[in-house]
Amino acid sequence: MSGEERPNYRPLGGARKRVGEPGALPLAQKRLALVTGGHRRLGGIISAAFARAGYSLAIHGSHDTRLDSHLALTLEEHATEWDGFTVDFADPEGAEELVALVAERFGRPPDVLVNSAAIFGQDRLDGVNADDLMRHYAVNCAAPALLTKAFATIPAGAGDRCIINILDQRIDHPHGDQLAYTLSKMALAGLTRLSASTLAPQIRVNAVAPGLTIATADYDDDQIERLTRMMPLECLPQADQIAEAVLYLAGAGAVTGQTVYVDGGAHLRAYDRDFMHLCR
């Protein structure tokens, strides 16, 4: 096959469809999304939403990129071109290299960056230490900041490019629980506003702030029911609703500097403790 005949398409990550088959598009015609922490939990739901919307995907994990089963099935069903990238954000300098790695693998830089990777610990002001603070800041804010820098400075075309940061509804009414996590998310909110102003008009920057979405084993069913009734809308957000908000912002060409709260209205009220300690 000559260079003129070669399709501008590269199957990645086990994609099955080829050019000429129904639904297959050349890679250059698809938008490419880089989702950090995109292999599991909420990040995996977000990645799946992009796959269903026809994006190619660069999926990051801090220690591995083993996919949640629902995500693996979605990528297979939609013949999504994807690849996995493992970079430990505990050393945030590695984050700056990730955008270049993605661009090298796909032959172009990503159009969308979703900063979803995060760590979450249990600490309060009377017990927090420097290591707690620095670990959370490194992963939850410094890495997104360096990813933002790399995303903004890598040579790219003139199409719509955007960054979406995943925050937390608590930033409006912070409480004393998970102090290091909370401070890092408040810093990420500041980065969202600052970079939206600094990077316009070339790059849009927005955020989604979820409420209690994917409950851990710390919660029981009765507690979840009582917490639901505490929300202004008397509902808790579903992970798919968070992903829908991210997907909306990815395509909202006239929107920048905004934070979309998907939390059942929780950001409108102040809570004395983290939800895991309430309604027990």
Side-chain angles (χ1 to χ4, degrees):
M1 179 180 288
S2 70
E4 289 76 22
E5 296 170 325
R6 189 180 305 279
N8 189 8
Y9 169 84
R10 173 168 32 198
L12 299 166
R16 296 290 183 261
K17 289 187 180 179
R18 297 294 183 265
V19 171
E21 293 185 23
L25 288 175
L27 185 59
Q29 294 182 21
K30 297 185 177 183
R31 297 187 81 196
L32 171 61
L34 165 57
V35 183
T36 70
H39 59 311
R40 65 187 188 95
R41 291 182 59 80
L42 180 58
I45 300 291
I46 292 170
S47 292
F50 277 110
R52 288 191 294 270
Y55 283 68
S56 299
L57 278 166
I59 298 175
H60 158 268
S62 287
H63 303 291
D64 63 72
T65 53
R66 291 193 297 269
L67 307 180
D68 278 354
S69 58
H70 73 85
L71 175 57
L73 289 171
T74 300
L75 296 176
E76 180 71 19
E77 179 183 356
H78 293 273
T80 301
E81 300 85 9
W82 71 277
D83 206 355
F85 300 82
T86 302
V87 179
D88 188 353
F89 289 168
D91 176 7
E93 289 188 358
E96 193 167 357
E97 301 171 0
L98 177 57
V99 173
L101 291 173
V102 171
E104 180 181 6
R105 182 68 181 92
F106 283 82
R108 61 189 178 90
D111 304 288
V112 180
L113 165 63
V114 181
N115 284 311
S116 176
I119 61 172
F120 184 92
Q122 301 295 334
D123 48 64
R124 292 178 63 87
L125 185 59
D126 58 2
V128 73
N129 58 45
D131 183 60
D132 294 331
L133 292 166
M134 297 311 294
R135 284 188 306 106
H136 282 78
Y137 185 80
V139 175
N140 298 353
C141 185
L146 292 173
L147 281 163
T148 297
K149 171 189 172 185
F151 185 87
T153 55
I154 195 168
D160 180 36
R161 302 183 72 228
C162 66
I163 299 169
I164 302 155
N165 295 322
I166 305 300
L167 305 179
D168 192 299
Q169 56 82 24
R170 73 178 66 200
I171 62 175
D172 267 29
H173 295 285
H175 48 68
D177 292 321
Q178 297 96 32
L179 179 72
Y181 168 84
T182 300
L183 290 176
S184 66
K185 287 295 185 178
M186 293 174 74
L188 184 57
L191 174 66
T192 302
R193 293 189 294 271
L194 185 153
S195 54
S197 175
T198 302
L199 299 180
Q202 286 78 19
I203 295 172
R204 300 183 296 108
V205 186
N206 295 287
V208 174
L212 175 59
T213 306
I214 302 177
T216 65
D218 299 304
Y219 299 84
D220 60 45
D221 291 342
D222 290 339
Q223 182 187 15
I224 290 293
E225 183 177 343
R226 291 190 289 271
L227 285 169
T228 299
R229 292 197 296 268
M230 289 179 63
M231 302 299 110
L233 292 180
E234 296 187 352
C235 70
L236 295 174
Q238 301 299 306
D240 285 342
Q241 294 172 319
I242 309 298
E244 287 170 5
V246 172
L247 203 59
Y248 161 73
L249 290 172
V255 178
T256 196
Q258 299 298 309
T259 295
V260 178
Y261 291 84
V262 186
D263 62 353
H267 71 284
L268 299 173
R269 295 180 180 172
Y271 301 92
D272 293 336
R273 301 290 310 273
D274 182 66
F275 292 137
M276 66 181 291
H277 300 294
L278 301 177
C279 299
R280 288 191 172 275

